[in-house]
Amino acid sequence: MATLANIAVGSQVWVADPDDAWVDGEVFEVSGNEVKVICTSGKTVNAKVSNIFPKDAEASPCGVDDMTKLAYLHEPGVLQNLRSRYDMNEIYTYTGSILIAVNPFRKLPHLYNTHMMEQYKGATFGELSPHVFAVADAAYRLMINEGVSQSILVSGESGAGKTESTKMLMRYLAYMGGRAAAEGRTIEQKVLESNPVLEAFGNAKTVRNNNSSRFGKFVEIQFNQRGKISGAAIRTYLLERSRVCQVSDPERNYHCFYMLCAAPPEDIERYKLANPRTFHYLNQTNCYELDGVDESKEYLQTRRAMEVVGISTEEQDAIFRVVAAILHLGNIEFSEGKETDSSTPKNKKSWFHLQTAADLLMCDENALEKSLCERVIVTRDENITKTLDPEAAVLSRDALAKVIYSRLFDWLVNKINSSIGQDPHSKSLIGVLDIYGFESFKTNSFEQFCINLTNEKLQQHFNQHVFKMEQEEYTKEEINWSYIEFIDNQDVLDLIEKKPGGIIALLDEACVLPRSTHETFAQKLYQTYKNHKRISKPKLSRSDFTIHHYAGDVTYQTELFLDKNKDYVIAEHQSLLSVSKCSFVAGLFPTLAEDSAKSSKFSSIGSRFKQQLQALLETLSTTEPHYIRCVKPNNLLKPAVFENHNVLQQLRCGGVMEAIRISCAGYPTRRTFDEFIDRFGILAPGVLDGSCDEITASKRLLEKIGLEGYQVGKTKVFLRAGQLAELDSRRVEVLGRSARIIQRKARSYLARRSFILLRKATLQLQASCRGYLARELYENMRRDAASLMIQRNFHKYVARKAYKGLLSASVTIQAGIRGMAARKELLFRRQTKAAIVIQSHCRQYLARLHYSRIKKAAITTQCAWRARMARKELKNLKMAARETGALQAAKNKLEKQVEELTWRLQLEKRMRVDMEDAKSLENAKLQSALHEMQQECKETKALLVKEKESARRAAEEAANLRVVPVIDTPLMDKLTAENEKLKALVSSLEKKIDETEQKFEEASRLSEERLKKALEAESKMHQLNNSMQSLKEKLSDMETENQVLRQQSLLNSPIKPMSEHLAITTTPMKHDLENGQFKSVEAKEPQTAPPAIKDYAISSKLTIPNAERQHESVDALFNCVVKNIGFSNGKPVAALTIYKCFLHWKSFESEKTSVFDRLIQTIGTAIENDESYDHLAYCLSNTTALLFLLQKSLRAAGSAPRRKTPPPTSLFGRMTQGFRSSPSSVNLSVDGLDLVVRQVEAKYPALLFKQQLTAYVEKIYGIIRDNMKKDLTHLLTLCIQAPRTAKSSMLRGSSRSGSFGHSGQTSHWQSIIESLNNLLKTLQQNYVPAALIQKVFTQVFSFINMQLFNSLLLRRECCSFSNGEYVKAGLADLELWCAQAKPEYAGTAWEELKHIRQAVGFLVIFQKYRISYDDIVNDLCPVLSVQQLYRICTQYWDDKYNTQSVSSSVLSSMRILMTEDSNTAVSNSFLLDDNSSIPFSVDDISSSLQEKDFVDVKPAEELLQNPAFHFLQD
């Protein structure tokens, strides 16, 4: 609480509120011991100083993950911190080592996936965000490291999430201690699957929870010395048996009843079930279904879980028979019998259910009726049979149902324990306790009494643990703590369980007495404890009593205490079910010996539960406890609703407030020295002179302040309650004085600046006025001068304009007249020309129209016919494709098409040649005719010239003669006719010449078109040849794969060496020397050595020296290639040498060989012996090159080889061959590539060797990539968080610390750069293909992105402004490295860092509160998901400029979207996953290399000196 000295006007405080429990506000007025507070809600509250608490004005709006870090550890501070984190979907919060879990009432699968478990695996407690996995991991690590058993206590009220938290704990422990299943189910699987089984039979819907555990559970998980789960045991406590028969609205009975009613039809018919509404034990409430729960699916899942935990199918059927029998028992109604106080089943329906229950329990129907309606009283002399009235019969029926269900539940627990098994040699265990929380209802019965007793015991254990932790903290810091006290609740425990005289003892006594009732029991309590401070009697009740628990007062109703405390089975029920024909039912009720039955004393549930509780606490006392307090934020069971009063009550009931009270009794405020100096250094600036260390400076600071009662430890300053508020008040005063000084200086500065600006403005105004007057005078003078000039120019302009107008008019008239005449002439000529053009175009159009119609009709007909044929062909192809030989048919058809096209092409070319010959002859004839016509024309023209000349001379001579009027009319007519004939002949010759030229042009055009068609047909023929060849290759590959698969399917062990697959049979074989070994005539034993050695003994034709030389050649090859023989012209020598030797020895074509096995073993041994980057890169380069050569060379056996084109016989064929041999198509043999790569027909060993070599390429690549990731993991953990700088750094004094810190910041990033450079240099020196180098660095950068981004999301201290700048500088170094490495090697590696780049870019942006959600999603961080953005925004804190994160509206938008995502689909994890796949294929390797690169590669010099390897020089 606050003190008057710490309260001043303007102080931020918390004040009690009846609606919200606590509200914050500002002190407006202080009057004596009372203050007036203006709340943030707007209302004004008057309160006493002792009833208000100080508020930390500098607290983060996002809260803290550990509430021990709060400046003020009190109720409102804790409540506000939990609410702030809950609003951000942070459901976990630490209070020291205690984890508080607030139920979100929504599924959050991203918080509990395997990737999240990997993040918390081995992490220091408190290093990552609070999580249930962190508690489990801490317990597991303590057990492994210290060998001490651990326990995790999960508590909370119904609906707080205890069951789910327990599931997550068990999942994580199974993940850490799990192992691969050798035979059957593993222990961890059985432990996990026991949860749904126990939930089905022990959980039910209550008012507060849809899946409330109605029993307590303690799971002991045993571990061996290696930390693996070796055994487990489950203990249950206090099953609520009364729920079987009595259910209040709107609760439900146990889940198993509803699951069975929703079972498959055959099960329902077998058990004679119906709708749950028809059964009395289920229809006492109106709730039959749960939202989002499918009972039929739950039934099947429960049966699968029962199978996993070891319950057989027969036992499952028996279990559900018993459950169905209980339902039928509940439907038996009774009416009065014939005798007095007797009863009998009421009607036929009751008799039906009685018979069904008897059939299901496999007992006698009449015996069942008697056991329900009669009682046998045993006396000394005789047995007396007493009939029961209907009410007593109903009670007997319910008692039978309850005891059957209780025995069934106990059997399930025992069966699960026996199936899982316990490890007698285990010395360490982890226990998980899922126990009910403190309960206080309107009606509290015996169950609530036992539950609250449990919580009292556990609270005492909790208080002792918290006090022990406080003592350990003070002892570690070496401070005085002897005067610290804490309140114990032992008096309440003595009140309840003390013997004799305790409440349980009095209850057992009342149960033994025959005439005792709940009223006599209550009166006994009142008399015994009338002066006890922990128990009291309510005023208006005669049988109730109130106990003052640590969590509050609870009033208990004793009406059913005696009945619920009795733990016995009615003798008639025992005798009935013990003789059941069903062995399972009989096993639930074993027959008791008469002596033990007679000597057995009264047993009560309360006493037995007290013993179980005592055993539990003894077990917990031997373990190191860990606490998880589950909190239900609201009673509506809805997400995003936080009720302060409800949560506060649960914190009190859960002991969290008691732990805080214990902490406040000592030194609740603890600050490290640097934090203390950073916050309160302004109270004594003199201590920050750098002359002393932090501890001395803190002591001087406290002494100068004059504070008393504090303690200075080894690493922290410990302050008593209220001292931090006092320091804060002094700090506020210092800051207030500083603010007033700053205000005074600022106001003086503003006034002086205003005066200077005013004087400056006055001078400027005067100068402006004087300048204005001078400019006005000057303007008038300029205006006069301008007027004179304007008049003069105007007069001149008017005169000139008049003259120009007259001149222009004259010229315009002349031009118009001349233009009109010219236009008339032009119009006439244009009309004449247009008429001619129209006539020519019209004739041309008519001719073209006729031609185009004919052509279009022909094309349409051809297209229709071809389309019909194509559809028919397509249909045939589709039908053929469904058959097995589709590819073969396609190949044959393509061959026919090629032959047909070849024939057509030859025919077309032959026709073209013939047509060209005919055209040439016709052209020659036309040319000769043209030449003759031209000669005739010339002669005619010459004759006409002569005649004109003679006529002219005759006219001249006639002019000199006398005119004689003689008219020779016939002669004139004759001459005129001849002249016309000559003119007609000339015109006809001209027409023939034009027609000939047109025909010649048309013939040339047709020839060009046919030549073009011929070339197109030739290209199409080449394409068809290529497609046919590719189909052949695909067909051969498929045949080879089928052959390989058939052979592999016949083998029993596919991972055996190749030589075992290819064991030599007894079939006689021809003797031949190839493949680097001999083929034997007969083999009588499996091939375990190289065949060259075996064949040596039985060879009849070859000599011993030849076999030895062959064996020596193989040995020499492998002895050479195991060494690093380097590279030649950038290609590995070893790969090419091995390839040439195998090619020369014809190993690829061999049916049986062992050289491939030997090479594979050599590669594997080389990788295992040396995993350095240089050696792995050398192996990767060689295996990649060899795989490339095999890919280019090997052809599957049985595939058709490429057929050579037959030599052409026709002229056209020879022309085509000439075209093919043109320089445009280069033959491979010209480049000499056939000398390196030669296609061979590979057999099964070669194809298997190729697959194994591919696997080794992928394995070596993965080793290099994973080793690089391991090297970078430690450096990345150091790079994610910048070294902290604070005011206390001034105490360290020198400037060199700054330079050292800077170098330390960059050294980690430089180490990463150096690692990348070394790897790149190594890969380049070993000539690894650039494509593989790109893939390596792409995946490495993806790993860097994943590590940095996940660490940023999981650690709040990393989401700061300065840390963003630090990481951004490191990313800039990586970007520079990518630029220097060039895209040839870096590829798209920089793009893999997009998540961390955008996240860091967001951290270093100023004024985040002004950024909208759309700006963030579309511009700043388009790659990040809503969950990731929300986590970054809520965890962000500015340690440099103290700015705020994004606005509350942006956070609200993100929460809405996250809620929608969680409602519509399963939310994805906000963490990134690592990609460990192989990102390339054999085709990628083939495309990255070229065959011509291997032409100039020289073989190994060592082998060239060996005569057996002279073939390498060829």
Side-chain angles (χ1 to χ4, degrees), residues 799-815:
R800 184 174 180 82
K801 183 179 180 182
Y803 169 74
K804 285 187 175 181
L806 185 60
L807 180 62
S808 176
S810 302
V811 173
T812 301
I813 293 171
Q814 294 175 358

Side-chain angles (χ1 to χ4, degrees), residues 687-737:
V687 302
L688 301 179
D689 55 359
S691 60
C692 56
D693 57 3
E694 294 175 345
I695 301 177
T696 307
S698 300
K699 291 180 179 179
R700 289 182 181 179
L701 179 60
L702 289 167
E703 292 173 357
K704 192 167 183 179
I705 295 172
L707 204 64
E708 297 180 357
Y710 63 87
Q711 293 276 356
V712 178
K714 297 175 65 175
T715 61
K716 300 176 183 176
V717 175
F718 291 79
L719 301 176
R720 297 299 299 268
Q723 288 184 338
L724 183 66
E726 182 179 351
L727 291 176
D728 276 338
S729 65
R730 296 188 184 184
R731 182 170 176 267
V732 169
E733 291 178 2
V734 173
L735 292 176
R737 288 196 300 269

Side-chain angles (χ1 to χ4, degrees), residues 898-899 902 906 1025 1203-1209 1213-1214 1217 1220:
V898 170
E899 292 176 358
T902 305
Q906 292 177 355
N1025 281 327
R1203 296 188 303 174
K1204 295 184 179 180
T1205 306
T1209 55
R1214 290 193 296 271
Q1217 186 178 13
R1220 290 176 182 172

Side-chain angles (χ1 to χ4, degrees), residues 255 1291 1465:
H255 295 326
L1291 301 175

Side-chain angles (χ1 to χ4, degrees), residues 1147-1179:
S1147 299
F1148 300 128
E1149 306 170 32
S1150 174
E1151 294 285 351
K1152 298 176 178 62
T1153 182
S1154 62
V1155 291
F1156 295 143
D1157 280 346
R1158 187 172 176 183
L1159 180 57
I1160 291 297
Q1161 294 174 1
T1162 302
I1163 296 174
T1165 305
I1167 296 173
E1168 293 176 358
N1169 295 338
D1170 188 358
E1171 289 192 0
S1172 62
Y1173 285 124
D1174 186 67
H1175 182 72
L1176 291 174
Y1178 175 75
C1179 294

Side-chain angles (χ1 to χ4, degrees), residues 909-910 913 917 1208-1217:
K909 290 186 177 181
R910 191 178 298 110
V913 172
D917 294 340
T1209 55
S1210 63
L1211 174 63
F1212 179 73
R1214 290 193 296 271
M1215 291 174 62
T1216 304
Q1217 186 178 13

Side-chain angles (χ1 to χ4, degrees), residues 212-261:
S212 177
S213 299
R214 307 317 300 162
F215 67 100
K217 179 175 64 175
F218 183 67
V219 182
E220 293 182 359
I221 303 177
Q222 300 171 337
F223 295 85
N224 57 21
Q225 295 179 352
R226 296 180 299 169
K228 299 299 181 182
I229 297 177
S230 58
I234 300 175
R235 302 178 189 174
T236 58
Y237 305 95
L238 197 65
L239 176 70
E240 187 182 3
R241 296 192 297 179
S242 60
R243 180 172 292 270
V244 177
C245 306
Q246 299 173 357
V247 184
S248 59
D249 196 34
E251 298 184 350
R252 289 204 325 170
N253 214 318
Y254 290 106
H255 295 326
C256 61
F257 295 114
Y258 303 92
M259 293 180 186
L260 188 58
C261 291

Side-chain angles (χ1 to χ4, degrees), residues 187-469:
I187 296 175
E188 55 270 16
Q189 284 179 320
K190 294 180 180 180
V191 171
L192 291 177
E193 291 300 327
S194 66
N195 287 322
V197 176
L198 294 180
E199 284 184 14
F201 290 87
N203 287 29
K205 180 189 181 304
T206 62
V207 178
R208 296 184 175 182
N209 186 11
N210 289 341
N211 188 31
S212 177
S213 299
R214 307 317 300 162
F215 67 100
K217 179 175 64 175
F218 183 67
V219 182
E220 293 182 359
I221 303 177
Q222 300 171 337
F223 295 85
N224 57 21
Q225 295 179 352
R226 296 180 299 169
K228 299 299 181 182
I229 297 177
S230 58
I234 300 175
R235 302 178 189 174
T236 58
Y237 305 95
L238 197 65
L239 176 70
E240 187 182 3
R241 296 192 297 179
S242 60
R243 180 172 292 270
V244 177
C245 306
Q246 299 173 357
V247 184
S248 59
D249 196 34
E251 298 184 350
R252 289 204 325 170
N253 214 318
Y254 290 106
H255 295 326
C256 61
F257 295 114
Y258 303 92
M259 293 180 186
L260 188 58
C261 291
E266 57 272 13
D267 290 349
I268 293 178
E269 183 178 357
R270 183 193 313 167
Y271 304 132
K272 299 180 181 180
L273 298 174
N275 192 284
R277 293 174 173 82
T278 61
F279 293 102
H280 172 66
Y281 285 163
L282 304 182
N283 61 15
Q284 300 174 34
T285 172
N286 293 323
C287 181
Y288 300 97
E289 298 176 352
L290 296 179
D291 294 337
V293 177
D294 189 346
E295 301 292 353
S296 59
K297 292 183 180 179
E298 294 292 329
Y299 173 77
L300 298 177
Q301 291 176 1
T302 302
R303 297 205 68 153
R304 283 195 293 268
M306 295 170 75
E307 181 182 354
V308 172
V309 299
I311 302 176
S312 64
T313 305
E314 293 77 11
E315 292 173 334
Q316 293 179 32
D317 293 338
I319 290 170
F320 288 106
R321 285 171 63 90
V322 172
V323 174
I326 293 174
L327 290 177
H328 287 290
L329 280 176
N331 280 12
I332 301 175
E333 297 179 357
F334 299 94
S335 60
E336 294 183 358
K338 297 180 181 179
E339 300 178 2
T340 305
D341 292 336
S342 65
S343 61
T344 183
K346 186 176 181 180
N347 47 30
K348 293 183 179 180
K349 179 180 177 182
S350 298
W351 280 105
F352 167 77
H353 288 290
L354 177 67
Q355 181 182 0
T356 304
D359 293 341
L360 292 174
L361 295 175
M362 293 188 179
C363 61
D364 184 66
E365 178 182 352
N366 296 326
L368 178 59
E369 180 196 359
K370 290 182 180 181
S371 67
L372 296 178
C373 300
E374 295 179 358
R375 283 288 176 273
V376 177
I377 301 175
V378 180
T379 63
R380 292 182 180 181
D381 300 330
E382 61 179 345
N383 296 337
I384 301 173
T385 302
K386 176 186 176 183
T387 58
L388 302 177
D389 58 8
E391 293 183 359
V394 169
L395 293 177
S396 176
R397 177 201 68 187
D398 293 344
L400 176 61
K402 287 189 289 187
V403 72
I404 291 176
Y405 195 83
S406 177
R407 295 287 181 91
L408 174 63
F409 187 79
D410 293 339
W411 184 91
L412 283 172
V413 175
N414 295 330
K415 180 65 177 179
I416 292 173
N417 288 334
S418 62
S419 175
I420 296 175
Q422 300 188 32
D423 183 8
H425 304 290
S426 175
K427 296 183 179 180
S428 56
L429 61 89
I430 296 180
V432 181
L433 178 64
D434 177 9
I435 204 73
Y436 9 66
F438 188 86
E439 291 186 353
S440 177
F441 305 122
K442 293 181 179 180
T443 302
N444 300 287
S445 187
F446 181 70
E447 291 85 0
Q448 282 70 39
F449 177 76
C450 295
I451 288 172
N452 292 339
L453 170 61
T454 304
N455 283 272
E456 286 285 355
K457 298 283 286 186
L458 293 177
Q459 182 62 29
Q460 185 185 42
H461 184 269
F462 175 72
N463 290 345
Q464 293 174 353
H465 173 70
V466 172
F467 184 64
K468 179 182 176 183
M469 289 172 54

